[in-house]
Amino acid sequence: MKVSINEMISKYKLELHPDGDKIQIAAAIGKKMSKPEMEALKTAKPEIIAELKTRKDAKIKAAEEAAARLAANVPGLESLRDARNKWDIYYDAQRSAIERGAVKMPQQPTEDVKALTEQYPTAAAYLKAEAWERASNYAKSAAGRKAKQAIADGADYKEALAQMEAEWQAHCEERKWD
């Protein structure tokens, strides 16, 4: 019985080696392979490598398209994220300086996060959904992930956040007596 390239990739958990001209096999599976199976892999190696490269290229293309969609649908995201990061770094440096008893305090960033939030409400909503996605509760994280994806795909940010919060509220209501 001949096994297809896709079946081999799936069955043996084959991956493309970083060099690009080699195949990686999951160690535990590699030890369980019979000689005929190993020979079949060796014979099909060029086709397997070609398929793995095609999959890798498709994955890269999908990631690039998602990044382009995000940039188009969420203007100001990088500006707002950078401003928030600068203020976070400043507050950490300030706290550290106070704890050390330093005389010279760090210089405050010039970015106005509030103004950027008002200028780019979609980006602010995206960052809020992203924060929810990092929540430790699985339901809150899932709601944040859905809202983040919806905003990235161009949905109305107010509607996405309302849905996110409604989903979380419903989860809390359902489990309030647990």
Side-chain angles (χ1 to χ4, degrees), residues 2-171:
K2 184 165 167 104
V3 180
S4 75
I5 299 301
N6 289 326
E7 289 172 334
M8 283 183 182
I9 291 171
S10 177
K11 180 177 180 181
Y12 303 122
K13 296 183 177 136
L14 302 177
E15 296 175 353
L16 193 61
H17 189 273
D19 292 347
D21 293 332
K22 297 178 185 175
I23 301 171
Q24 294 183 161
I25 303 172
I29 293 173
K31 293 178 183 177
K32 296 176 186 175
M33 266 195 249
S34 66
K35 286 206 183 256
E37 289 174 318
M38 191 61 83
E39 288 302 318
L41 270 179
K42 287 179 183 177
T43 305
K45 181 181 175 184
E47 296 157 13
I48 293 170
I49 289 175
E51 175 62 24
L52 291 172
K53 284 182 178 181
T54 302
R55 289 181 183 188
K56 181 181 176 185
D57 292 343
K59 194 181 231 184
I60 290 169
K61 184 178 178 187
E64 288 171 350
E65 289 171 355
R69 221 175 27 255
L70 179 65
N73 293 329
V74 187
L77 179 61
E78 291 306 313
S79 300
L80 184 56
R81 185 177 275 151
D82 289 345
R84 285 182 174 187
N85 286 341
K86 286 180 183 178
W87 277 97
D88 287 344
I89 291 167
Y90 165 73
Y91 286 129
D92 287 344
Q94 184 183 38
R95 188 177 316 108
S96 177
I98 290 170
E99 288 173 359
R100 286 190 328 259
V103 176
K104 185 177 179 187
M105 293 303 223
Q107 188 172 353
Q108 275 190 350
T110 57
E111 287 82 0
D112 186 356
V113 175
K114 185 176 180 183
L116 285 171
T117 300
E118 290 171 1
Q119 183 179 357
Y120 302 114
T122 307
Y126 182 87
L127 291 174
K128 181 178 181 176
E130 190 175 65
W132 276 49
E133 183 183 27
R134 290 190 301 266
S136 60
N137 182 284
Y138 71 94
K140 188 172 191 176
S141 178
R145 188 177 344 24
K146 287 178 195 171
K148 183 178 128 179
Q149 189 60 50
I151 294 168
D153 289 340
D156 178 41
Y157 72 91
K158 291 177 185 174
E159 188 177 307
L161 288 183
Q163 178 65 32
M164 175 181 79
E165 291 169 358
E167 209 173 296
W168 173 240
Q169 187 63 38
H171 174 78

